Amino acid sequence: EEGGDEKKEGEKEGEKKKGIGEKVAAAGEKMAISLNLKDSPEKKEKAAAEAAAAEKAAAEVAAAEKAAADKAAAEKKAAEEARYPKELESDEAEAIRLCGLELYERGRAADKPGQVPSPSVKWGVMDAPRVAMSLHAAAVVLDCLKLFMPQLPADLLPFQRAAHRRSNDLAKHMQNYRVGEPILPLEWKPADMSAAVPVPCPPPPALPPSAFPSAPRR
């Protein structure tokens, strides 16, 4: 009887170990399946589809950026063409531009911004009037470009403003010690092409007092 009990217990123990082994094998198979999912055909197809979608999205973004850059370049070119019409490419307009800049450079080269015109120095008597007239002429000549367009180009406008301001300052200083009319018309200003009268007529000069005043009448 003792031998039979030991045999039964051994069989039970063997069945128990067999059941544990089967459970371990099943768990191992599940783990192997989960680990092999990355290499499954479905996973590969999904990864390939995601990569293709990402590549397509990147291509669409690049195309949109290129289209935006092309549009900006076209708008910039159109703005430049609007600012510089074809008429400005004519020989007359180019000659006016070069003449105005040449007068400006000559006046600027002979100018002495740190020195106030004075009759006690040679520059104030000899050179300052020429500088003022050269800069004034530059402002007037550059303003003639408005025959081809309503406004001066943005790259020429600072030169005209500087020439006009400096020439007027010099003329006003020299008017304190020069006899006679100012060396340039101080009332001149750039034409406003948007106004009803772009270049208003200057007021008539004041008549000098008569040498023979009228006698009072009773």
Side-chain angles (χ1 to χ4, degrees):
E1 292 180 0
E2 292 179 0
D5 292 339
E6 291 178 357
K7 185 177 180 181
K8 289 180 180 179
E9 290 179 0
E11 289 176 356
K12 290 180 180 179
E13 188 69 22
E15 290 178 358
K16 185 177 181 181
K17 289 181 179 180
K18 184 179 179 181
I20 293 173
E22 289 177 354
K23 291 181 179 180
V24 171
E29 288 178 0
K30 290 182 180 180
M31 185 177 293
I33 291 172
S34 64
L35 291 175
N36 291 332
L37 280 176
K38 295 181 179 179
D39 300 328
S40 64
E42 294 82 0
K43 190 69 174 181
K44 290 181 179 179
E45 290 178 2
K46 184 178 180 181
E50 291 177 352
E55 185 177 356
K56 182 180 179 181
E60 291 177 353
V61 171
E65 291 178 351
K66 185 177 183 302
D70 293 342
K71 183 180 179 181
E75 291 177 352
K76 182 179 180 181
K77 183 178 180 181
E80 290 179 352
E81 289 178 353
R83 181 183 299 175
Y84 302 100
K86 292 183 178 180
E87 289 81 3
L88 284 180
E89 298 176 0
S90 64
D91 294 339
E92 294 84 356
E94 182 64 12
I96 291 173
R97 186 184 72 86
L98 293 177
C99 179
L101 292 178
E102 178 68 19
L103 290 168
Y104 174 82
E105 287 299 330
R106 290 189 179 188
R108 188 176 67 89
D111 191 13
K112 294 183 179 180
Q115 187 171 345
V116 178
S118 171
S120 61
V121 294
K122 180 181 178 181
W123 183 82
V125 177
M126 301 296 296
D127 296 331
R130 298 174 183 174
V131 171
M133 288 186 286
S134 178
L135 293 177
H136 175 74
V140 174
V141 170
L142 290 176
D143 208 54
C144 293
L145 286 175
K146 294 176 182 177
L147 295 171
F148 303 92
M149 63 186 308
Q151 300 295 332
L152 284 184
D155 59 337
L156 293 179
L157 191 58
F159 299 112
Q160 187 194 45
R161 288 176 176 172
H164 185 211
R165 181 175 58 253
R166 181 58 176 164
S167 62
N168 276 16
D169 290 344
L170 290 174
K172 290 177 182 178
H173 278 295
M174 288 182 286
Q175 197 172 359
N176 295 328
Y177 60 85
R178 288 178 62 91
V179 179
E181 296 293 327
I183 60 174
L184 54 89
L186 296 175
E187 68 276 4
W188 182 88
K189 60 182 180 179
D192 183 5
M193 304 304 290
S194 62
V197 182
V199 185
C201 297
L207 296 175
S210 174
F212 300 95
S214 299
R217 294 183 179 180
R218 294 182 180 180

